[in-house]
Structure formats: structure tokens, C-alpha cells
Amino acid sequence: MRNKLVAWVSAFCLIQSCFADITVSARSDIDMAFDNMLDERELELPVGDMKDLSGIEKIYGDEPDIYCEDLGVASETYGFYKYGSDYGRMYLAEESPGLSECYEDLLEQCEAFEGNYSDIEKKMVNDDPIYYLPNDENKDYKYSLSPGDIRAVVITLINDHPEMYWLESFVYSYYSKEKQYKVLLTINEDYASGKTRHNIDEQIQRNLEGYISIAECFKSQGEYITVKSVHDAIINSVEYAYEDIKIGDETYTIPSTAASAHNIVSVLDDSIETMPVCEGYTEAFQLILNALGIDNVHVTGYALTDFGKEPHAWNLVKLDDGDYYYIDVTWDDQGENGAFYTYFARGSSHFSDHVINTPDDKEGNYLYKLPDVPEGDFEIIRYINKTLTNAAGILDSGNCGEGITWTLYKNGILYISGEGKMNDFGFDYDLQVSKSPWCKYTSDINFVLAEKGIRNISSYAFWKCRGIISAYFSEGTESMGNYVFGNCWNLSAVRIPKSMKSIGTGAFINCSYMSDIYYGGTVDLWNNLDKSAASVPDTTMHYEFPAADSGYLYTI
């Protein structure tokens, strides 16, 4: 099988086509043509069954012999095992000495098993086949905790440590004399073979190094750009895992129940057959960011979908401004459409379709308390400056008007500079593409920045540039033409200066996920702006923005 990441990197090196996949017959007039050809995105937002961490209560039988003489003497430990997290661990340490003691004991047990490639034998508990994690015979692993407390500890341990992909759940037994519960961890049956684990460990290490190599090209440009590179690489390397089940005469498609789909193996092994559900995306993303030294937290809860509340997992990541923001890699993977950014670097007000588990629910859906999250999204425009672009390298450049040049940097910034008016690019109705000089980079452009002196933004300038996340037009820009951002599905934020006098027909048509407009003028000036046919979506407005703020380093 081809390596998943290698397959994506090879494809990424090819020049992406700018041709649209929709053809329109002869038009009677411009409005009818655009009405017919707009292909509004229909998002598929999959959620996966979460690992069962309810545990098994052992109600009869002797304790199995699951000690390992070699425990603590790993024959070979791969580097990825050092990339666990400490967030949940620190939370438990502050909450309760009892919870912390249990966590530390179980963590020590897991760390001793890393790199141990002996086979794990099946044991029967309550008539269920169980594969126990070998433990230290000098410890009894008994705690004065309730089953709910034990469950909270195990959930936290697994959330903190995506590298321990072989962990399954736990078994607990009550000892009436000591009034304590004994806790033993279990391994998934798929990883009971030492040879299998050794093979998987080797693949994880090699492919993790591949992701790190890609991301390190962007590290000098800050956390946001680096995290985005990992987000994109994962999405372009894998796809969401489904499986078919048959009930009676009917066949249903459901999220994969394979063990690998729920852990890092689905993203970091070599096989193109193993693919992730939400837990696989979340844990692989977490591990890679840990390896890059970027603070992040594993989050679990529910997604609000058309089918109601569904179990789901995503990430919370600390970015350049020191705050944490939500990222749902699973929901940003739109299959053949590639990476989207609808759920990337979002604040709390734009993540309302995700419901977070709480520390209070130890009997049900427990999760440690999370860091505070700003209401608004991360503002990348604050961090676009000379250092960012100089470090990136140039992908392409050219002229787009008399005295006006454009430069596309490898980190996705399209910088338009000079003084004067843009050319009138026009539109190719046969190919359904803009005639802008950057049209072949529709997926590579993520951030648009027009410096002071650019008088107008040409019609069709960014038509169907699905990669654009945000755009910033400096003071002095007076007009935006027709269909400037038409079908820019990922466009989430635009900065419009108060010098703007008109916004053309369909300028924002099908920008249905745009969440913020930052306008330099007052409410009255915005209301009087000529934009009646611009298809401006119902979004959050920020007026008289930005005020004097040295944080806005947008001059390159």
C-alpha cells in the first residue's frame, strides 16, 4: 500500500486545475447565467461513535495472571511515545489527590508497556474476552474512588495520551474489606499481537516525522500558519471512514467501528485502507501539535446535527495571541472538495453546534474543565507582516494593473500592492473561471491583503477561490466589482474600509459561512453604502474598525 501522507504530498506538488466542474449553456443575461451556475456547497458533517469507556465490573473469578517480567524495560521505544499531553493530568492534580494518584499509577503502567512487544493473552471476564495491559506485580492498583471517579481518570488518561493507541478501556473490582476498587486497564484485541504493535509503531514514527517536516516549514511564521498546515495535511491525506451494515434486507452506512478509526493509527499508518472517524482526526491532530510544541487540548462532547445530539470529538488549540480556539478537523474535511475552514480557529460564538462535556458528569460524559475561549474567531490579519511573508517564500507573482503588482506567498497570503486601479479581469463563460492572473491558485490563496493605494477590486477577482479565509482591504479602496467573492465558501471575515463607496452585484454570493465584517466607518455610513445587490450575508458587523491598534501589522 502507498503511504497516505506520501500520496498526498505527491499530489500536492502538481499544479491544481482552476477549471470549474459545472458547464452552463448559452446565457440570456448575466444574472440568469450566475443563478444557474452557482453550486452552493452542501456540507456533510459526519460524527463517529466514541470509544466505550464505561468500563467492565468484574463480578466473579480469580484475578488473572497478567504480570510481565519485562515490564519497565522496553525493548524499543519510538520517539512518538514522548508526545503525550499534560492538560488533564494537571487538572486532576488540582482537583483531588485521590484522582491524581490513580492517574499517575495508570500512566506509569502504560509508560512501562511502551515498546514492549510481547503478545497479550486473552482472559475471560464475565464471559467477555479481555486483553489486560500487563502491570506491576508489586502494586495492587486499589483506590478509594467510585466507579464514576475511576471512569473520569481513565477518560482523562486516554484524552491526554493519543500515543497510547492500544488502550481500550478498564476493568474494576470491588474489595469490600478495604472498601476500595481495583483498576486494571485493557488493550484492544487488534493490538494484542506484539508483532502488530511493533509494525504499527514503526509506521507511526515514520509518518509523524513526515507531518512534522511539512509543518516545520511554517513554524517561523507562527502558530496559526503552522497549525493550518497540519490541518490541511491531515485532511488531504485521509478521508472519513464509513462502513456498511445490514439489518434485515436493508443496508445502512454508519461511521466505522474499526479500532484504528478511533485512534492515531488511521492517520499515521501506511495503509490507505485505514481511515479515521472524529476520534482518529482529533487524536492524530493532537499528537502532531504536541510534537511541534503547540499547546492543545482534546475535547469531547456532542455535535448538534439533523439527527439530534451525536457523540463527537475535536480540538482546542492555543494560537499566536495566546488564546485558545476551537478546531474541528473532521468537519473541515469535505472529501473530494478538500480542506475547508468553517470550523478552523473559531471562537465560542461560532461553535454553537458543538456541546462540550463537563467535569460534573463522572457517571456519563466526563471532561475536565477547558480553558476560556474568546467569543470571536482568531484574527489572522493582525499577524500578516514583513516577517511572515519574507519567511514564506513566493509561489507566484505578476502585474494586475498599471502600477499594481500581486504576490502569492507559499503560506497562502495574496498581497496586492501599488497605487492605482486593477485591470478589469472579466470572466470566461466557457470554462466558468475568472480571468484573474491568480485563477489557477483558487485553493492556495487563503488570505487577501490589498495595501493602501489600491483604488478598486475588479469584478470576478476571487471568483470561486475556495481557499480564502479572510480578506483585508486598506483605506483608499473605493469599489468592489461584481461577483468578487462569489462562491468563496470558506470566506469567514472581510475588512472593508470606510473609503468604500460601492459593492457590486453578487460580490458575496454563496459566502454563506462568512461570520464577520469589519467596517471602518459608522453604522450610518454602512447603511448608506451602495451594496443593495451585493448579496451580503447576515453576519456580525464590527463598526469603526480597527481603532488605533498597533497590533494590526498589515503593511508589508
Side-chain angles (χ1 to χ4, degrees):
M1 295 291 183
R2 290 183 302 161
N3 171 279
K4 291 192 281 265
L5 183 61
V6 170
W8 171 70
V9 171
S10 298
F12 185 70
C13 292
L14 299 175
I15 297 297
Q16 298 188 38
S17 171
C18 63
F19 295 157
D21 54 5
I22 296 176
T23 303
V24 178
S25 57
R27 59 192 176 93
S28 57
D29 59 63
I30 187 169
D31 292 326
M32 181 175 293
F34 277 96
D35 286 344
N36 288 339
M37 74 183 177
L38 291 176
D39 55 341
E40 185 162 8
R41 173 178 54 158
E42 293 183 4
L43 281 174
E44 290 185 7
L45 302 176
V47 292
D49 293 332
M50 304 288 278
K51 286 190 286 276
D52 181 8
L53 293 175
S54 58
I56 296 176
E57 183 175 9
K58 183 174 177 293
I59 56 177
Y60 65 85
D62 296 329
E63 290 292 350
D65 178 13
I66 54 171
Y67 305 120
C68 180
E69 293 181 0
D70 297 329
L71 197 64
V73 186
S75 58
E76 184 179 1
T77 303
Y78 285 93
F80 74 87
Y81 277 112
K82 66 184 178 183
Y83 297 130
S85 303
D86 272 336
Y87 184 84
R89 181 184 190 179
M90 300 304 294
Y91 177 81
L92 292 184
E94 294 178 1
E95 284 294 294
S96 163
L99 296 176
S100 181
E101 177 191 3
C102 182
Y103 182 104
E104 295 298 335
D105 284 350
L106 299 180
L107 176 59
E108 182 181 356
Q109 180 184 351
C110 293
E111 289 177 338
F113 183 68
E114 296 169 1
N116 188 297
Y117 300 117
S118 57
D119 291 343
I120 306 300
E121 295 183 5
K122 178 172 63 178
K123 306 292 181 180
M124 299 303 295
V125 175
N126 306 349
D127 297 326
D128 293 320
I130 297 294
Y131 296 82
Y132 282 101
L133 181 70
N135 60 72
D136 187 345
E137 61 182 329
N138 297 314
K139 286 194 174 184
D140 56 16
Y141 299 101
K142 292 179 184 175
Y143 309 96
S144 299
L145 299 174
S146 69
D149 285 334
I150 295 168
R151 184 175 181 274
V153 170
V154 176
I155 287 174
T156 303
L157 178 70
I158 291 178
N159 285 353
D160 271 356
H161 293 281
E163 75 278 13
M164 298 171 183
Y165 62 88
W166 23 260
L167 275 183
E168 174 75 357
S169 189
F170 64 102
V171 175
Y172 60 99
S173 308
Y174 184 65
Y175 286 73
S176 57
K177 184 177 181 180
E178 298 97 332
K179 295 184 178 179
Q180 293 180 318
Y181 281 97
K182 181 167 184 175
V183 186
L184 295 175
L185 296 171
T186 64
I187 292 175
N188 187 279
E189 179 181 6
D190 289 0
Y191 310 118
S193 162
K195 183 177 180 181
T196 297
R197 293 196 307 279
H198 187 276
N199 187 38
I200 290 174
D201 282 6
E202 182 183 22
Q203 293 176 40
I204 289 173
Q205 181 63 36
R206 181 173 62 253
N207 291 315
L208 175 63
E209 290 172 359
Y211 278 100
I212 293 172
S213 178
I214 291 170
E216 282 185 337
C217 297
F218 300 93
K219 283 202 74 175
S220 62
Q221 300 168 53
E223 285 86 357
Y224 180 96
I225 298 295
T226 305
V227 170
K228 179 183 170 296
S229 73
V230 177
H231 168 277
D232 294 356
I234 291 175
I235 288 173
N236 287 291
S237 300
V238 299
E239 59 187 32
Y240 191 86
Y242 290 103
E243 65 183 39
D244 292 333
I245 61 169
K246 193 167 185 178
I247 302 176
D249 295 331
E250 297 292 331
T251 299
Y252 300 90
T253 299
I254 64 170
S256 175
T257 58
S260 61
H262 294 260
N263 60 47
I264 62 173
V265 174
S266 54
V267 175
L268 294 170
D269 74 347
D270 289 344
S271 173
I272 58 174
E273 301 300 324
T274 54
M275 292 292 168
V277 294
C278 61
E279 285 181 299
Y281 283 97
T282 298
E283 294 184 10
F285 192 49
Q286 176 188 10
L287 184 73
I288 298 167
L289 296 187
N290 287 349
L292 292 166
I294 296 174
D295 290 342
N296 69 101
V297 185
H298 183 138
V299 184
T300 60
Y302 293 96
L304 302 180
T305 71
D306 293 340
F307 303 100
K309 292 169 63 176
E310 300 285 344
H312 196 44
W314 60 99
N315 303 86
L316 197 55
V317 182
K318 194 174 189 179
L319 298 179
D320 302 75
D321 60 0
D323 285 327
Y324 284 87
Y325 294 87
Y326 295 118
I327 298 177
D328 188 340
V329 185
T330 311
W331 279 16
D332 274 348
D333 186 354
Q334 290 302 302
E336 293 181 358
N337 289 321
F340 285 86
Y341 305 95
T342 309
Y343 294 92
F344 184 80
R346 291 292 196 174
S348 58
S349 64
H350 300 141
F351 233 73
S352 57
D353 49 7
H354 290 60
V355 179
I356 300 167
N357 290 336
T358 72
D360 300 326
D361 194 2
K362 291 179 180 177
E363 300 298 331
N365 300 294
Y366 172 85
L367 185 68
Y368 32 69
K369 184 179 178 181
L370 296 175
D372 292 334
V373 177
E375 183 177 348
D377 304 333
F378 179 81
E379 297 174 38
I380 181 60
I381 201 69
R382 287 179 181 267
Y383 300 95
I384 294 180
N385 52 48
K386 289 182 179 180
T387 303
L388 190 59
T389 51
N390 288 343
I394 295 174
L395 184 62
D396 202 350
S397 62
N399 296 318
C400 55
E402 187 174 348
I404 302 178
T405 61
W406 64 275
T407 304
L408 177 58
Y409 295 90
K410 291 180 180 178
N411 60 7
I413 298 172
L414 176 64
Y415 182 61
I416 302 170
S417 60
E419 190 169 345
K421 298 186 69 174
M422 273 191 187
N423 292 334
D424 183 7
F425 299 137
F427 191 83
D428 188 319
Y429 285 92
D430 292 326
L431 298 177
Q432 298 293 307
V433 296
S434 167
K435 293 182 180 179
S436 67
W438 47 76
C439 78
K440 64 182 177 181
Y441 298 109
T442 56
S443 297
D444 299 295
I445 301 170
N446 300 132
F447 319 107
V448 175
L449 179 59
E451 74 168 13
K452 187 175 182 179
I454 306 302
R455 296 275 305 279
N456 71 305
I457 307 300
S458 172
S459 294
Y460 322 108
F462 310 109
W463 169 261
K464 215 171 186 180
C465 285
R466 69 180 193 184
I468 295 178
I469 303 171
S470 60
Y472 191 106
F473 301 122
S474 300
E475 201 64 42
T477 303
E478 298 179 351
S479 66
M480 291 172 60
N482 299 330
Y483 304 102
V484 169
F485 289 105
N487 274 348
C488 288
W489 299 323
N490 276 307
L491 183 64
S492 63
V494 176
R495 199 283 193 183
I496 299 174
K498 72 177 177 181
S499 57
M500 190 73 69
K501 297 178 181 178
S502 65
I503 302 177
T505 298
F508 296 106
I509 196 163
N510 280 350
C511 296
S512 53
Y513 289 87
M514 191 162 74
S515 55
D516 295 276
I517 292 177
Y518 298 91
Y519 178 57
T522 63
V523 177
D524 288 340
L525 284 175
W526 176 256
N527 289 338
N528 291 326
L529 182 63
D530 181 8
K531 60 181 185 308
S532 59
S535 302
V536 178
D538 183 15
T539 187
T540 302
M541 293 294 305
H542 307 266
Y543 298 102
E544 299 182 86
F545 182 89
D549 185 346
S550 59
Y552 281 82
L553 306 174
Y554 48 79
T555 300
I556 299 178

